[in-house]
Amino acid sequence: MVKEKPSPLSLKIEKLSVAYNGRPVLHDVNLELCPGKVTAVIGPNGAGKSTLIRSASGVLPAEKGRVMVDGKNIHSLSPEQRARHVAVVPQAVQLPETFTVYETVLMGRISYLGWFGQESERDQQIAQLSMQRTGIDALADRRIGELSGGERQRVLIARALAQSAPVLLMDEPTSHLDLRHQSGVLSLVRSLAEQENLAVLVALHDLNLASLYADEVALLVDGKICIGGSPQKVLTTHVLSQAYGVHVEVIPHPIYGIPLVLPDGR
């Protein structure tokens, strides 16, 4: 019997500091991701959003602090152990264009494969379920090179789901996508968080997408989280104008009532 849902776990980032080649990038960052919730990290270019994703996944070491999941420090785990706890949808990744969608999604099971790297029937079933959940099961036999940008993004999410990890980290998943595919991808992520009880962290540039799809927002500026909380708390005229160095107006969305961010075009 295939286990359809990973056990819910939170991920806690505690006083995390990270440096590149001796240059500090993140400073004393604290953040908690909760099961069933989407947290968006926003901030100007160069604020450290991608660095935060990479360190939270265990790829970049911590200078100070730690990232805890299931009572374990993510940086002390092997790559296979990390993959079973945290799944990552990276930014601008190159997929093997001659592989089929099914073969690509099955890559998410690598950390579970046996000595000879041969997938089991259970691995195959989980890959099929992951494609169904992301709405790409009809594309299973298509080559990656034949897919649109939105379809490729769903393949990446399906591959991450196939890891059966309780935490999902996403770095700019809507970059280079048109409006329809942006909405489709983030609607999918939101529904997966709720239905699969995943703890999700997504780095976004678009503040209105963060307002619409995130339960919590963390504003990162110069490697520090300046403020975190609900979109209503974080996405204000004063906070955003100060963080981005340009005046913006924030008004209630006429339909949803959430913050609507409008740059000052005058």
Side-chain angles (χ1 to χ4, degrees):
M1 185 72 177
V2 174
K3 182 181 178 183
E4 296 192 0
K5 297 182 181 180
S7 300
L9 291 175
S10 63
L11 181 144
K12 292 183 180 180
I13 299 171
E14 301 174 344
K15 299 181 185 251
L16 180 67
S17 296
V18 177
Y20 276 133
N21 298 322
R23 180 178 66 86
V25 179
L26 295 179
H27 313 272
D28 201 30
V29 171
N30 293 284
L31 190 64
E32 182 172 2
L33 311 182
C34 297
K37 302 294 184 182
V38 175
T39 299
V41 58
I42 62 171
N45 289 339
K49 297 186 295 297
S50 293
T51 299
L52 179 59
I53 297 287
R54 295 185 68 201
S55 188
S57 71
V59 172
L60 283 181
E63 291 264 307
K64 297 179 182 178
R66 58 186 187 174
V67 179
M68 301 297 292
V69 60
D70 195 23
K72 306 177 183 71
N73 188 334
I74 196 78
H75 293 101
S76 68
L77 301 178
S78 68
E80 292 78 13
Q81 290 172 320
R82 291 200 304 264
R84 296 186 183 195
H85 287 86
V86 177
V88 182
V89 177
Q91 184 181 160
V93 65
Q94 280 292 110
L95 292 173
E97 299 210 346
T98 58
F99 278 37
T100 66
V101 168
Y102 172 71
E103 290 169 338
T104 305
V105 173
L106 195 57
M107 290 178 185
R109 301 299 301 167
I110 285 177
S111 65
Y112 297 91
L113 301 185
W115 285 104
F116 300 103
Q118 183 64 43
E119 69 272 7
S120 66
E121 182 179 349
R122 182 174 182 272
D123 294 320
Q124 295 169 358
Q125 290 174 336
I126 289 175
Q128 292 286 354
L129 281 171
S130 299
M131 291 190 295
Q132 290 171 17
R133 287 174 182 148
T134 51
I136 59 169
D137 44 318
L139 304 176
D141 296 326
R142 292 270 301 276
R143 302 288 175 184
I144 294 297
E146 302 170 357
L147 304 183
S148 69
E151 289 168 338
R152 289 184 184 217
Q153 202 65 31
R154 284 178 175 260
V155 171
L156 285 173
I157 297 172
R159 185 179 69 174
L161 280 183
Q163 289 178 223
S164 300
V167 178
L168 177 62
L169 309 178
M170 310 183 76
D171 191 3
E172 294 290 345
T174 59
S175 61
H176 310 302
L177 297 183
D178 62 27
L179 188 60
R180 179 172 70 91
H181 286 112
Q182 287 177 1
S183 175
V185 165
L186 290 178
S187 292
L188 171 63
V189 170
R190 174 98 190 193
S191 65
L192 288 171
E194 295 171 352
Q195 295 167 13
E196 309 295 322
N197 220 14
L198 301 179
V200 179
L201 178 64
V202 54
L204 289 173
H205 271 302
D206 192 313
L207 303 181
N208 288 315
L209 291 177
S211 179
L212 184 59
Y213 292 103
D215 300 290
E216 300 283 323
V217 179
L219 174 60
L220 194 64
V221 179
D222 294 330
K224 299 178 181 178
I225 292 184
C226 300
I227 185 173
S230 68
Q232 288 79 6
K233 177 182 177 181
V234 177
L235 303 177
T236 69
T237 294
H238 174 72
V239 168
L240 296 179
S241 296
Q242 193 169 47
Y244 286 86
V246 60
H247 182 72
V248 300
E249 290 291 342
V250 180
I251 62 174
H253 193 286
I255 299 175
Y256 305 117
I258 59 175
L260 178 61
V261 183
L262 303 171
D264 189 347
R266 293 172 299 175

